[in-house]
Amino acid sequence: MTEIFKTVLFPIDQSRETREAADVVTNVVKKYSSRLVLLSVVEEPPKDAPSADDPMVSPEVVAKLLSNAQSLFSGQGIQSEILERRGKPAFTICDVADEIGADLIIMGCRGLGLTEEGADDSVTTRVINLSPCPVLIVP
C-alpha cells in the first residue's frame, strides 16, 4: 500500500489555500514516504497588461516562496525538491506532473490564479480536467 503515492507534486503560490494545503501534504508524504516536489510557476504577464502587480510574475518572489516552502517541510523532517517553471499555471502543473511521474497532485481549492475567463475556469479546475494523475483538492 505504501507504493500508492510515490511522488507527490505540490504546486504553490502565495495564497492562504496553499498554506492550508501544506498540512495535508505533510500528512500524505509522511504516511506514504513519498518523494515531494514543490512547483511554482512564474506566469508570463499578458502583453497588453500594465506592469503587473501579480507577485507570481516575479522570479525573485517565486524563488523565495519555494525556498520558504522547502524550509517549512524540512522543519517537518521532509526532504523536498523544488522546481520553478515559466508558463500558464494549469498547463505547466500538468506537464510537470507528467514529466516527474507524479502519482498525486495536492493543491488548494482556489489559489491566486483565476484564468482570464474567471472563477468558473480557475487554475484548479483546469488542473483537475487536464491532470495525468489524481488531484487532491484541499478546501
Side-chain angles (χ1 to χ4, degrees):
M1 186 69 176
T2 58
E3 295 292 310
I4 192 165
F5 300 127
K6 289 185 293 221
T7 301
V8 173
L9 177 62
F10 183 35
I12 60 173
D13 61 18
Q14 294 183 308
S15 68
R16 178 178 51 83
E17 290 80 5
T18 292
R19 289 190 296 278
E20 291 170 356
D23 289 338
V24 173
V25 171
T26 298
N27 290 334
V28 168
V29 168
K30 283 185 171 183
K31 178 171 178 122
Y32 295 102
S33 301
S34 307
R35 166 187 175 213
L36 175 60
V37 180
L38 307 174
L39 168 68
S40 201
V41 180
V42 179
E43 293 185 64
E44 302 290 341
K47 305 232 184 308
D48 56 353
S51 56
D53 293 332
D54 184 352
M56 295 308 290
V57 300
S58 164
E60 295 78 22
V61 169
V62 170
K64 184 164 177 44
L65 179 68
L66 283 166
S67 176
N68 290 345
Q70 191 173 38
S71 295
L72 173 90
F73 286 109
S74 183
Q76 300 285 327
I78 297 171
Q79 295 301 309
S80 59
E81 302 165 42
I82 56 176
L83 293 174
E84 182 180 317
R85 296 287 167 87
R86 291 189 162 287
K88 295 196 175 295
F91 297 109
T92 304
I93 291 165
C94 293
D95 286 347
V96 167
D98 193 41
E99 176 186 313
I100 67 170
D103 300 295
L104 180 67
I105 298 171
I106 301 176
M107 56 193 299
C109 64
R110 178 71 76 214
L112 294 178
L114 293 181
T115 64
E116 302 78 44
E117 291 79 26
D120 290 337
D121 202 18
S122 68
V123 171
T124 303
T125 301
R126 283 190 173 174
V127 169
I128 290 167
N129 290 319
L130 298 170
S131 178
C133 64
V135 181
L136 174 61
I137 304 302
V138 179

